[in-house]
Every structure is written in structure tokens, then in C-alpha cells.
Amino acid sequence: MQLFVDTAKLSEIREAMGWGVVDGITTNPSLLRAAVEGEGSRSLEEHVREICRLAGKGRPVSLEVMGLKAEEMVEEARILHRKFNPVARNVVIKIPVCTSTGEGGEEEGIKALRELARLRIPTNATLVMTPEQALLAAKAGARYVSPFAGRIDDLVRSRLGIPFGKYDYFDFSLLRRLAERRLEEIAGRGGGLGELYQDAEVRALADPGGNQGILSGVELVRSTVKILRYYRFRTKVIASSLRHPRQVREVAEAGADIATVPFQVLKAMLRHPKTEEGVRLFTQDAEKAGYRELFG
């Protein structure tokens, strides 16, 4: 599985690239604004050019459009690609899979993806919250689809009234076990299948969080991977909006092609208290044994 770093901070990109394990960069307007202001860049345009340069050829950099209509997104995509792709031939255009705010226009993102595929401008379908959206984006020719795992975890926990912090891990397997146990208790009371099927609590337990059967962000990624692989789409799945190292492991197990993570999560993937303890003990023992003589 490839790893992208989800940041626009040049300092983080330089350090992450220095590790030799990062395969690309994802950005969005919010990340870019914070980075430009925080790092005192001369201009947004120069900042974006430097991101592309630091990533280098062969490491995709996702840049997002602003428009909500297909023709606007296509024109903005052409401008971004023309302006920044020559830096390192690595620009990918992020297109929201659906730009509707509830008042129609659901198809605009898909239309833009299709036209950009025709123009051979690589795209990353972003804000994917369902496998159905990912399927449509793949059919439209998106090179990448980005299911937002963390946002789905937030949605499910909010609907269930579970308090959480942004970087808290969501143990969806525990939630499933609890729901199954509760269903067994209800079924044990007796009653016909039809009656149980219509029971409000049973219906709620069958779909905790009321999210079309998707219990977590990792399940969203797993379902997306399963569908796209089954039908042999070339579209790659970028597991996005990841906030915890354990999520990275789980999307890797789910078969995601890529995980894009904040730099702090990338660093957290290396940490473990027993690793730190082992380093301290080995260092102490090495000093006592005069181990440094071996390097003289």
C-alpha cells in the first residue's frame, strides 16, 4: 500500500519526504490557507509550486478546484494542470464527487470527472462518503477515489451519541458485537419474524448510526475496494480522512491502494511504548558493556 501525506506545510513535506516512504501528497484549500499563513510564503502560487517540486516526479500532488458546476470545475482543472503540472509532472485534480448542497446539481462532479478523463487530466474524486459514489466516479474515469473514513466515523458516532475527539479511534468491531448481542437478547423474548423485522429497536440495531449499513469509515473503504476490484476498474482507492494509526492498518487490511494521513499520524505509526522501552534498555546495556569500542 502506498502512503500519501495529507498536508500543505512545506516543513512537514520536507521531513516526510526525507523518510523515503511517502509516495504522494494530498492538499485542500483549508490546508493550503493554513500553511501559507503559518509559514509566511510569498504567495499561494509559489507555495503550491514548491509542494510539487518537493514531491517530485512520480509522486502525485492533489490540488482541488473551487467551482460547483461541471464547466467551472473543468476550466479550473485545466488552469491548475497547465500552471503547476510542468513543475514535476505530478499534478492530480481533486473533484468533489457531488457538489450539491441539497438543492440539485448532484451530477456536476461526475460530469466534470468524465470530461477531464476525456482530456486526459488525472483526477481524484474527493468527498466520497458511499461506495455508490465511488462506483459512479470510477465509471466516469477518475484515476483515484477518496472515501473519507474519518468523516463517516464522525457521522456514526454523532448519530449514536458517542462523545469523541477528532483523533480518537472508533472501535467499530466493538459496536458490531454489542449490536449483535442486543439483537440476540431481543430475539430471545420471542415473537414472529415479521414482528421482529418491524421492531424499531431491531431496525436501529441492524444499522447502528443509520448510515445505509456502513458502520465505519473502514467499512466504507473495504466496500469500495471490493466493488472496484470485482469489476476490474483501474481506479485506485485512497483511504482518506484517517486520524489514527490503527485506521491505517485496517485500511491496509481492507486492500486500499493508498492511505493519505496527516503528518502527525504518520509519526504516530512509528511509536510504541515497548519500542521506546527497548531502545532505552539496549542503550543502557550497550554503555555498560563498552559497546562503543566496536565503532572505534
Side-chain angles (χ1 to χ4, degrees), residues 6-296:
D6 190 35
T7 184
K9 293 182 179 179
L10 300 180
S11 57
E12 291 184 346
I13 293 170
R14 288 191 186 98
E15 185 174 348
M17 288 299 171
W19 293 14
V21 298
V22 172
D23 304 291
I25 299 168
T26 53
T27 71
N28 61 48
S30 299
L31 291 175
L32 280 166
R33 177 186 175 186
V36 170
E37 292 177 353
E39 296 186 314
S41 298
R42 288 185 299 175
S43 70
L44 178 59
E45 186 167 324
E46 285 302 312
H47 194 96
V48 172
R49 288 185 186 279
E50 184 63 8
I51 290 174
C52 294
R53 189 191 68 78
L54 288 171
K57 190 174 182 179
R59 296 187 182 92
V61 175
S62 286
L63 302 176
E64 192 161 346
V65 297
M66 286 182 59
L68 300 180
K69 297 293 185 181
E71 56 272 18
E72 296 171 348
M73 289 185 276
V74 169
E75 180 58 24
E76 291 170 0
R78 295 178 71 171
I79 292 170
L80 289 173
H81 196 260
R82 182 172 63 247
K83 184 178 288 188
F84 298 109
N85 195 54
V87 175
R89 303 293 175 187
N90 57 359
V91 168
V92 174
I93 305 300
K94 289 178 79 172
I95 301 289
V97 69
C98 174
T99 58
S100 172
T101 56
E103 299 177 355
E106 294 87 352
E107 73 285 354
E108 297 298 319
I110 293 298
K111 289 164 65 176
L113 288 168
R114 188 62 181 170
E115 177 61 13
L116 290 169
R118 188 187 70 80
L119 295 172
R120 297 185 179 181
I121 294 177
T123 54
N124 174 1
T126 189
L127 289 172
V128 171
M129 305 296 174
T130 70
E132 297 93 313
Q133 289 177 329
L135 174 60
L136 289 170
K139 286 183 67 65
R143 181 171 295 184
Y144 304 96
V145 293
S146 291
F148 272 44
R151 299 283 182 93
I152 294 302
D153 286 350
D154 293 350
L155 173 66
V156 172
R157 286 181 289 190
S158 294
R159 287 181 172 175
L160 290 173
I162 300 173
F164 62 92
K166 181 176 180 179
Y167 292 98
D168 290 346
Y169 174 72
F170 176 41
D171 192 346
F172 66 94
S173 61
L174 173 60
L175 176 65
R176 178 185 283 112
R177 292 197 300 272
L178 291 171
E180 289 173 349
R181 183 169 181 177
R182 183 64 178 148
L183 280 169
E184 290 174 359
E185 291 174 356
I186 295 172
R189 299 173 189 166
L193 287 177
E195 181 184 347
L196 288 170
Y197 184 84
Q198 297 175 73
D199 184 274
E201 186 176 2
V202 169
R203 302 294 295 176
L205 288 167
D207 184 15
N211 190 43
Q212 301 182 55
I214 299 293
L215 291 184
S216 72
V218 172
E219 283 206 349
L220 167 62
V221 172
R222 181 178 292 110
S223 180
T224 298
V225 169
K226 182 177 181 180
I227 292 169
L228 298 194
R229 294 274 169 80
Y230 184 84
Y231 291 103
R232 299 182 181 179
F233 285 101
R234 294 182 179 180
T235 304
K236 292 186 176 182
V237 177
I238 304 178
S240 305
S241 185
L242 303 180
R243 285 91 171 265
H244 194 280
R246 186 166 165 180
Q247 281 182 306
V248 181
R249 179 217 309 169
E250 289 168 347
V251 299
E253 292 172 342
D257 299 289
I258 302 155
T260 186
V261 298
F263 186 56
Q264 68 186 71
V265 174
L266 189 67
K267 291 198 292 185
M269 289 169 64
L270 284 169
R271 299 192 193 108
H272 192 280
K274 297 304 288 185
T275 301
E276 294 166 2
E277 177 187 281
V279 170
R280 287 194 298 270
L281 290 174
F282 291 156
T283 301
Q284 291 169 6
D285 289 344
E287 292 291 349
K288 292 175 182 178
Y291 201 76
R292 290 189 183 279
E293 295 178 10
L294 297 179
F295 307 106

